[in-house]
Amino acid sequence: DLVVAAQDLRAALGNADAASVGAFLAGGVDQPDQRDRYGRALDDAADSLQRASVNADDGDAATAVADLLRLVPDYSGLIETARADNRQQLPLGAAYLRSASTLLRTDLVARVDALGDAGDASFRSVVGGLTGGVGLPVLAVTAVVLVLLAVTQRYLQIRTRRLLDRGLLVAAIVV
């Protein structure tokens, strides 16, 4: 769930940044559709962050969530300051927008990546515990080989009317 929340958060923040830059480039008063798009993207980011905070139970994930809970409002505040300055046709708005985009590309993306990595590590530890460290792909291939051996054994049983084929029985035991 942390990996999905991190991916959703990354997408939502990217959408928010694209909407804010688009609104800024339009100049003057915000277009309602761009403002709505920005608001929906921030709402999506908040939802993803909330899901991540519920599932962040270890140190790395909890630290990443805490940092994101602090940085997302900072980013939003810089965007709002840029919007206000842009509405007043002050050139300072571009600097605030640049600062917000830099914050997004550096700090926010790094924390989202850390959250995704923590979720991935948590998932791998759960899967590793379930599979005894062997790995899921090895177990899947083993299961497929056993099923193929059983199907072949059944085919030969019908075709030759022998109960078991010793070669296939030995192969199944080896697998």
Side-chain angles (χ1 to χ4, degrees):
D1 238 7
L2 280 177
V3 174
V4 174
Q7 290 172 345
D8 290 347
L9 181 59
R10 179 186 279 266
L13 289 173
N15 288 339
D17 196 51
S20 65
V21 169
F24 186 82
L25 291 175
V29 179
D30 288 338
Q31 300 297 322
D33 60 331
Q34 290 174 329
R35 181 71 184 147
D36 290 343
R37 184 174 152 211
Y38 172 75
R40 282 192 310 273
L42 275 185
D43 289 344
D44 291 345
D47 290 343
S48 299
L49 197 50
Q50 191 274 333
R51 278 190 330 220
S53 67
V54 167
N55 294 309
D57 51 358
D58 70 337
D60 292 340
T63 301
V65 167
D67 289 344
L68 287 165
L69 286 170
R70 177 181 51 83
L71 290 172
V72 169
D74 290 349
Y75 168 79
S76 177
L78 288 170
I79 293 294
E80 292 305 319
T81 303
R83 282 183 61 245
D85 287 344
N86 191 38
R87 271 195 314 267
Q88 297 173 17
Q89 298 179 347
L90 297 174
L92 194 56
Y96 281 107
L97 184 66
R98 206 170 21 258
S99 294
S101 289
T102 300
L103 177 68
L104 175 71
R105 286 190 319 272
T106 57
D107 294 343
L108 280 166
V109 168
R111 296 320 188 286
V112 170
D113 288 345
L115 180 63
D117 291 345
D120 189 45
S122 174
F123 176 75
R124 287 181 190 273
S125 70
V126 168
V127 169
L130 292 176
T131 61
V134 173
L136 201 53
V138 172
L139 289 176
V141 168
T142 303
V144 168
V145 168
L146 285 173
V147 167
L148 289 174
L149 285 171
V151 168
T152 305
Q153 183 77 279
R154 179 70 179 144
Y155 171 77
L156 288 175
Q157 182 183 16
I158 292 169
R159 184 98 169 139
T160 63
R161 296 188 179 160
R162 291 188 337 189
L163 188 57
L164 291 173
D165 182 86
R166 282 183 251 168
L168 288 175
L169 183 61
V170 170
I173 291 170
V174 169
V175 170

